Amino acid sequence: MKLIYLASLFLVIFFTGCSSTYHVYDFRSQQDFYNEINGIFNKTETVVILSNDSLLLAQDGVAIKDQLLVCYADIVERREQKRPLADLSSLDFNDQRQEFANIKMRTGESFKAENIRVGFDSIQFTEINNIKKISTLSIDRVKSIKYNSRWKAMSTSGKIGIFTLSLLGYYIGKHITQQRGGNSTPAERDSQELEGFIGGFIYGAILAPFVGLFWDYPVMYEFPSK
């Protein structure tokens, strides 16, 4: 019995010890704080929360350079085009459904295109351009930045599942021994309860992490307020 309660207590401590918010004082120095941000938020979709609580979305991540927060975003620009069919050099589709293609013209121009329509004497399409947008903010204006971690979500759901299913397995084992009444010895009752606990632990460890695939776990880094 003591083993059951001690194991449950350990699981509770293990779960509650997780953190999703970090501050500069959690690191040896401010530079270490910045270095971790530059490593984690590179190419990671980031929500930037400003000191006035307004939000910015940096789809391609952020970095800290010279006391500035540099935000990277990908913008897709679309523009309708119509060209003479006689100017077409090649039309190469990128997918089996023929929705996207690379188009080359005899004039030397090339396009990434969608919505291709070929007529009797012309070709019409939507030109696609991927543009990198870079904006900078003074660190003084930034309250916090955050991203969603799928791995932390899986880890957290795993811990919750292990704890709850372990206790559920224990109580199922306890219920079985109670149903048997006086037909079980103390050793058999303890064994049944322990088997239920271990069975719940195993099921929780295997199944519960997959629940984290379907929900977000926000990880936030807060900057010192001025």
Side-chain angles (χ1 to χ4, degrees):
M1 296 291 288
K2 287 184 178 180
L3 176 62
I4 302 295
Y5 291 120
L6 286 175
S8 300
L9 180 60
F10 170 78
L11 290 171
V12 173
I13 295 173
F14 186 55
F15 168 65
T16 56
C18 295
S19 174
S20 61
T21 303
Y22 301 94
H23 308 84
V24 66
Y25 53 74
D26 294 323
F27 298 81
R28 290 182 302 176
S29 66
Q30 186 181 71
Q31 189 58 48
D32 287 342
F33 180 64
Y34 290 168
N35 289 342
E36 177 158 313
I37 288 174
N38 288 340
I40 291 177
F41 286 85
N42 180 39
K43 303 293 183 181
T44 301
E45 185 174 276
T46 305
V47 176
V48 180
I49 305 171
L50 303 181
S51 54
N52 61 1
D53 291 328
S54 60
L55 304 179
L56 295 175
L57 180 63
Q59 295 97 330
D60 209 23
V62 300
I64 297 177
K65 299 178 181 179
D66 300 325
Q67 295 300 308
L68 294 173
L69 185 72
V70 184
C71 304
Y72 301 94
D74 289 323
I75 299 175
V76 179
E77 182 184 71
R78 288 177 167 84
R79 185 172 58 176
E80 292 299 321
Q81 294 276 8
K82 182 178 181 180
R83 298 299 179 95
L85 192 59
D87 289 347
L88 180 64
S89 174
S90 66
L91 174 62
D92 298 321
F93 286 98
N94 299 329
D95 60 325
Q96 292 182 346
R97 299 176 64 181
Q98 297 188 347
E99 294 180 348
F100 302 93
N102 292 320
I103 296 176
K104 291 184 178 180
M105 311 301 292
R106 297 185 187 279
T107 58
E109 297 174 288
S110 60
F111 305 96
K112 291 182 178 179
E114 63 181 1
N115 302 325
I116 299 98
R117 290 93 65 198
V118 179
F120 178 73
D121 60 355
S122 66
I123 179 171
Q124 299 180 60
F125 56 90
T126 303
E127 179 187 359
I128 303 172
N129 287 315
N130 294 316
I131 302 173
K132 290 281 188 182
K133 181 181 178 182
I134 301 176
S135 57
T136 59
L137 297 166
S138 171
I139 290 294
D140 296 342
R141 295 182 55 198
V142 180
K143 183 178 181 180
S144 60
I145 56 177
K146 67 178 180 179
Y147 74 99
N148 287 316
S149 172
R150 193 67 63 199
W151 289 110
K152 286 183 179 292
M154 293 177 65
S155 174
T156 300
S157 64
K159 294 168 189 175
I160 295 174
I162 289 173
F163 174 66
T164 55
L165 292 182
S166 295
L167 289 184
L168 179 62
Y170 164 71
Y171 283 113
I172 290 175
K174 188 177 181 66
H175 178 72
I176 292 174
T177 58
Q178 289 174 346
Q179 291 296 314
R180 292 177 179 174
N183 297 325
S184 300
T185 65
E188 290 174 336
R189 289 195 295 270
D190 287 344
S191 176
Q192 186 67 52
E193 292 164 5
L194 183 59
E195 287 177 5
F197 179 86
I198 294 174
F201 184 97
I202 293 173
Y203 276 107
I206 295 174
L207 301 178
F210 292 99
V211 178
L213 293 173
F214 303 100
W215 59 283
D216 295 324
Y217 187 101
V219 180
M220 180 175 291
Y221 286 72
E222 292 189 349
F223 291 83
S225 57
K226 300 296 182 181

